[in-house]
Amino acid sequence: MKINAVEIKPGNILEYENGLWRVVKTAHTQPGKGGAYMQVELKNLRDGRKNNIRFRSAESVEKVRLDQKDFQFLYAEGDNLVFMDKETYDQVTLPTDLLGDAAAFLQDGMDVVMEMYDDEALSVALPDQIEATIVEADAVVKGQTASSSYKPAILDNGVRVMVPPFISAGTRIVVDVYEREYVRKAD
């Protein structure tokens, strides 16, 4: 689907120079002299390269629509992760670096949403929040109550997060996957 350059928004997927690019940032600029243009920061979905491109306002670009499918995480195998399509039960193997830092939060049987383009997996979205158990938490420093004080803790998946002083080892908490922050105590 062709769209005008001024209609480009962050999060859009564009086909540009024979590649698929996700729009990260946009800025519409109208210089005193010359025509207006859109300054667009793009990130390649296949290899992660970033690129800054200027599109003239009158220019049109190809916007791509990705299919979203529900998958279930099965297990990790070396540097790869194995997922199962919840409809067809087909298994898909993807490299761990496709998920980035969020891969540490994957749990067996976790439901994820995969973005596909022509049956090629481009990205995997985990739930925004997951439950995890604290394995190790530092002791509270007495007298530090003037401001909200947080202490470091290590989760059962090895990720380090900052938690409030009342949280101790063995406590189940809810963690924001993408911000790596404590949200609340688990029910």
Side-chain angles (χ1 to χ4, degrees):
M1 175 173 99
K2 291 254 187 220
I3 61 169
N4 265 352
V6 290
E7 296 171 14
I8 298 173
K9 304 267 184 285
N12 286 0
I13 310 296
L14 304 178
E15 191 170 336
Y16 179 73
E17 292 182 348
N18 299 325
L20 290 177
W21 301 78
R22 182 181 305 271
V23 177
V24 182
K25 275 193 245 172
T26 61
H28 188 262
T29 309
Q30 292 178 308
K33 195 163 114 182
Y37 61 88
M38 286 291 284
Q39 182 75 33
V40 181
E41 185 179 319
L42 303 170
K43 183 175 182 185
N44 191 305
L45 291 175
R46 292 198 172 97
D47 58 22
R49 286 180 297 143
K50 283 195 172 178
N51 204 348
N52 277 312
I53 308 291
R54 281 185 180 177
F55 293 107
R56 290 188 315 278
S57 295
E59 231 176 304
S60 62
V61 291
E62 188 69 32
K63 182 180 174 189
V64 176
R65 186 174 160 85
L66 299 180
D67 300 323
Q68 293 190 334
K69 290 183 87 177
D70 291 330
F71 278 77
Q72 185 177 34
F73 173 66
L74 297 179
Y75 57 90
E77 188 175 55
D79 285 344
N80 293 320
L81 304 169
V82 180
F83 296 90
M84 178 185 68
D85 188 328
K86 292 179 79 174
E87 292 173 14
T88 63
Y89 302 108
D90 292 338
Q91 290 188 5
V92 177
T93 304
L94 298 174
T96 306
D97 56 350
L98 185 69
L99 272 79
D101 294 339
F105 290 100
L106 274 174
Q107 299 168 343
D108 291 347
M110 179 182 275
D111 291 336
V112 298
V113 176
M114 206 174 283
E115 288 186 328
M116 316 278 282
Y117 180 70
D118 288 341
D119 291 331
E120 177 192 357
L122 295 175
S123 71
V124 177
L126 275 61
D128 291 335
Q129 299 177 346
I130 60 138
E131 284 190 16
T133 307
I134 301 229
V135 220
E136 186 183 315
D138 290 358
V140 182
V141 179
K142 296 283 183 201
Q144 276 191 331
T145 55
S147 64
S148 62
S149 57
Y150 279 73
K151 62 182 184 178
I154 297 174
L155 302 175
D156 51 7
N157 58 8
V159 176
R160 187 181 174 103
V161 294
M162 299 300 281
V163 297
F166 61 85
I167 301 289
S168 58
T171 309
R172 287 200 50 84
I173 63 168
V174 175
V175 181
D176 186 304
V177 172
Y178 296 101
E179 298 296 323
R180 291 183 168 226
E181 289 178 347
Y182 165 86
V183 177
R184 60 181 161 77
K185 254 178 138 174
D187 302 330

